[in-house]
Amino acid sequence: MTAKRSFVFSLFLLTGLFLDAQSKSGFAPSKGVNIYYEIYGSGTPMVIINGGPGFNSKGFQALAESLSEDYQAILYDQRGTGRSKMEKITADNMTMDLMAADLEALRIHLGLEQWTILGHSFGGILGNYYLSKYPAAVKALISSASGGIDLGLLEDYDITRMMTETQRDSFIYWTEQLQAGDTTQTAQQQRRFFMATAYVYDDQYALQVADRLAQGNMRINQLIWQDLQRIGYDAKAAASDFHKPVLIIQGKEDVIIPQIGERAHQAFPNSTLVLIPECGHYGWLDQPGVYFDAIHNFMEAVAQLTRIEGFKK
């Protein structure tokens, strides 16, 4: 990780500020919604699919800014979130097929022949699904703390897995308070804070993640998870047919167990698996040096492969 990138990223974390580095924005029309996007930097295009579902891309601006030192980082608000507004959200207009189509509409709108996908958490699921529908559009894939290539996540997911005993007891207490009818701001904030401790190895980032958790649209979240189960989400066959480079990067202390990443690693024939020690769900928070170095090394390898293939032609 370069000294400049480390300094800028630390500045974001300490101040909560986002510095506009000559970014540009716009809207891409797609099946009943205008998809809002922002572009940072130049070079190899990399679209960042944020986690959720039901969350906007605002919490990923610092990540995009850091990546924009070396690549053209593209952020977008998933349908119904942020500035990708929808008048009404229903089971008919909130599906995985439509979310994948939104991504493809954005790529076409930007005039890109191919791009690298960086999907984080649920964004990894959406990235896999997009790849299964539009494989020719994907130059390379980065799965960051991904939810996986099938619904196996639902079989072994425990939000309290990485909490301390005190954090677990506090999370359960505030959850029960809400269930009992306590809808005060204090109860909601406390539950979000202790939930956030499950996602980070270093608790100094828990408040930042808790603020992010407050931004979610739970109606969208529910509808997309229902759709994933309706379609029987399983991208293993598409993964086995995808021979382009894949990076699977995950924290060893992630609430998503390492076996999810290992399963994807086995499915993709040309994949690299990086498990980061002392790291939770957000690699760029807990271990930014290791996280960004893994991405940079992967992208360098992709560029080298592209040069070799171009020479052969």
Side-chain angles (χ1 to χ4, degrees):
M1 186 177 187
T2 67
K4 177 183 176 184
R5 180 187 288 124
S6 179
F7 171 78
V8 171
F9 200 79
S10 297
L11 180 64
F12 289 149
L13 297 181
L14 291 173
T15 67
L17 295 175
F18 169 64
L19 307 180
D20 189 339
Q22 297 182 340
S23 63
K24 62 180 182 179
S25 61
F27 291 89
S30 174
K31 298 185 181 297
V33 59
N34 290 318
I35 299 298
Y36 176 78
Y37 65 87
E38 296 177 345
I39 300 176
Y40 306 87
S42 60
T44 301
M46 177 187 296
V47 62
I48 301 170
I49 312 176
N50 61 265
F55 288 76
N56 61 38
S57 64
K58 187 176 181 180
F60 283 64
Q61 288 176 327
L63 174 62
E65 170 61 19
S66 187
L67 290 170
S68 73
E69 288 189 26
D70 301 298
Y71 319 107
Q72 181 187 84
I74 304 164
L75 275 183
Y76 78 103
D77 286 337
Q78 295 166 20
R79 61 171 41 225
T81 73
R83 280 176 271 193
S84 298
K85 299 183 182 299
M86 299 172 63
E87 290 186 6
K88 189 175 182 181
I89 294 172
T90 69
D92 291 330
N93 61 23
M94 193 58 63
T95 68
M96 288 296 292
D97 281 338
L98 288 172
M99 293 186 86
D102 293 341
L103 260 173
E104 182 64 357
L106 176 58
R107 181 190 68 82
I108 293 171
H109 178 79
L110 296 177
L112 300 174
E113 181 179 352
Q114 286 186 319
W115 53 7
T116 293
I117 302 290
L118 191 162
H120 180 79
S121 195
F122 164 74
I125 292 176
L126 180 52
N128 291 334
Y129 194 69
Y130 172 79
L131 182 151
S132 74
K133 297 293 183 180
Y134 309 97
V138 182
K139 182 176 184 179
L141 174 69
I142 301 173
S143 289
S144 168
S146 170
I149 57 174
D150 56 27
L151 292 174
L153 172 68
L154 301 179
E155 300 171 3
D156 191 11
Y157 184 79
D158 179 4
I159 189 65
T160 67
R161 185 194 310 277
M162 303 311 300
M163 294 180 183
T164 65
E165 183 177 355
T166 299
Q167 290 167 345
R168 185 182 304 110
D169 289 345
S170 298
F171 172 71
I172 293 172
Y173 170 79
W174 288 109
T175 298
E176 290 176 345
Q177 288 296 105
L178 288 170
Q179 291 173 342
D182 183 353
T183 58
T184 63
Q185 187 175 17
T186 297
Q188 295 176 44
Q189 289 175 337
Q190 288 295 316
R191 182 179 184 275
R192 284 196 297 267
F193 174 79
F194 288 107
M195 178 185 287
T197 63
Y199 291 99
V200 291
Y201 182 81
D202 190 334
D203 287 343
Q204 70 170 306
Y205 302 121
L207 186 58
Q208 181 178 341
V209 174
D211 289 342
R212 172 71 173 165
L213 292 174
Q215 301 168 12
N217 183 317
M218 292 302 102
R219 173 63 173 161
I220 293 176
N221 186 283
Q222 178 186 42
L223 288 173
I224 291 300
W225 278 111
Q226 287 178 354
D227 192 61
L228 281 164
Q229 294 177 75
R230 180 188 65 81
I231 64 177
Y233 166 68
D234 189 334
K236 290 192 292 293
S240 66
D241 290 336
F242 188 78
H243 293 269
K244 297 171 188 175
V246 175
L247 171 64
I248 300 161
I249 184 168
Q250 186 173 340
K252 286 188 175 180
E253 284 71 43
D254 193 348
V255 67
I256 296 176
I257 60 175
Q259 286 85 344
I260 298 295
E262 291 167 357
R263 188 181 305 169
H265 179 46
Q266 293 171 2
F268 284 103
N270 186 17
S271 64
T272 299
L273 174 63
V274 176
L275 295 176
I276 307 176
E278 298 184 354
C279 181
H281 194 58
Y282 298 94
W284 64 89
L285 294 181
D286 282 324
Q287 296 289 351
V290 179
Y291 183 84
F292 287 115
D293 282 350
I295 290 176
H296 181 70
N297 292 338
F298 173 74
M299 293 298 289
E300 281 292 304
V302 172
Q304 178 65 19
L305 180 62
T306 301
R307 286 192 291 268
I308 292 173
E309 290 177 345
F311 177 76
K312 288 180 179 179
K313 291 178 181 180

